[in-house]
């Protein structure tokens, strides 16, 4: 009849098929569950621009000066509805979107956070500032206007990553550069 290896192979083959079917059902059920979330409150307290120079990987300063933006902001958002039985964690990030003559669409992440528990999904931050450097690639913002948004990625245990937006500010104009900053 059948030997032990053939029977073991048949059992593991069936178990793998059942497990894959179960994982597909879990992934599809994540799209069926509706998420009703209130938009978050975002406020830009101040937006300043200063001139500065960057350093390369070897510590050498660049010869050209660039404009750096510094933002202070408040975020209040309740992201708890995004957590359900298939949510592993959330990646939340604060993005500045603006356009210049040389580059018509720019997105810069200036702050982020990973949220692993539903209890921590109520984001209430006041007076925060850039976590990452915010520099214009062409060197000058040239009075561009920016909108800021709070975006998220839902990372499930099984299935596809989903993204969304929890809030957006109105357009804010970059001021003229004032002062200088050290090497960034």
């Amino acid at each position: 009849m059948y030997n032990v290896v053939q029977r073991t192979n048949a059992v593991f083959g069936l178990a793998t098929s059942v497990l894959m079917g179960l994982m597909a059902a879990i992934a599809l059920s994540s799209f069926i569950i509706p998420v009703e979330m209130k938009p978050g409150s975002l406020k830009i307290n101040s937006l300043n621009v200063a001139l500065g120079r960057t350093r390369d990987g070897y510590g050498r300063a660049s010869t050209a000066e660039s404009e750096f933006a510094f933002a202070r902001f408040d975020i209040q958002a309740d992201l708890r509805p995004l957590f359900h039985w298939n949510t592993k964690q959330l990646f939340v990030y604060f993005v500045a979107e603006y356009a210049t003559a040389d580059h018509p669409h720019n997105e810069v992440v200036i702050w982020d956070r990973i949220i692993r528990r539903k209890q921590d999904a109520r984001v209430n931050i006041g007076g925060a500032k850039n976590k990452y450097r915010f520099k214009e690639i062409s060197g000058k913002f040239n009075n561009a206007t920016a909108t800021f948004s709070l975006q998220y990625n839902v990372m499930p245990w099984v299935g596809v990553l989903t993204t969304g937006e929890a809030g957006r500010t109105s357009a804010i104009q970059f001021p003229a550069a004032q002062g200088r900053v050290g090497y960034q």
Side-chain angles (χ1 to χ4, degrees):
M1 231 159 151
Y2 296 108
N3 63 19
V4 174
V5 174
Q6 289 174 325
R7 288 180 189 219
T8 305
N9 186 24
V11 168
F12 280 115
L14 177 64
T16 302
S17 298
V18 170
L19 186 62
M20 288 297 172
L22 180 63
M23 288 173 42
I26 290 171
L28 289 175
S29 71
S30 295
F31 292 111
I32 296 171
I33 300 171
V35 175
E36 294 181 19
M37 190 172 65
K38 295 178 186 175
S41 169
L42 309 176
K43 181 182 174 192
I44 303 298
N45 298 329
S46 67
L47 182 62
N48 300 317
V49 177
L51 291 172
R53 296 177 193 225
T54 59
R55 289 191 182 271
D56 63 8
Y58 300 105
R60 297 181 299 230
S62 67
T63 57
E65 283 191 326
S66 298
E67 290 185 346
F68 291 86
F70 301 94
R72 287 223 177 250
F73 51 89
D74 298 338
I75 300 173
Q76 293 175 345
D78 187 7
L79 303 174
R80 291 179 299 173
L82 296 172
F83 274 90
H84 51 78
W85 57 276
N86 191 26
T87 302
K88 180 179 181 182
Q89 64 186 18
L90 296 177
F91 179 64
V92 182
Y93 49 103
F94 197 58
V95 178
E97 300 174 31
Y98 64 98
T100 60
D102 296 336
H103 303 14
H105 186 71
N106 300 297
E107 289 186 8
V108 179
V109 175
I110 62 174
W111 175 88
D112 65 1
R113 177 178 285 174
I114 295 173
I115 301 172
R116 292 188 171 92
R117 301 181 316 158
K118 185 174 185 174
Q119 299 89 318
D120 301 332
R122 185 176 282 171
V123 180
N124 190 7
I125 298 172
K129 59 182 180 175
N130 301 32
K131 189 175 180 182
Y132 304 109
R133 180 171 49 188
F134 186 4
K135 175 188 156 219
E136 168 51 32
I137 193 167
S138 65
K140 295 193 177 287
F141 287 105
N142 292 330
N143 295 323
T145 59
T147 58
F148 294 85
S149 62
L150 183 65
Q151 299 180 14
Y152 60 84
N153 284 347
V154 179
M155 298 176 189
W157 290 103
V158 176
V160 182
L161 293 173
T162 55
T163 62
E165 187 173 290
R168 181 174 287 275
T169 66
S170 58
I172 300 169
Q173 186 169 8
F174 286 101
Q178 297 178 353
R180 299 195 182 286
V181 294
Y183 294 110
Q184 295 288 316

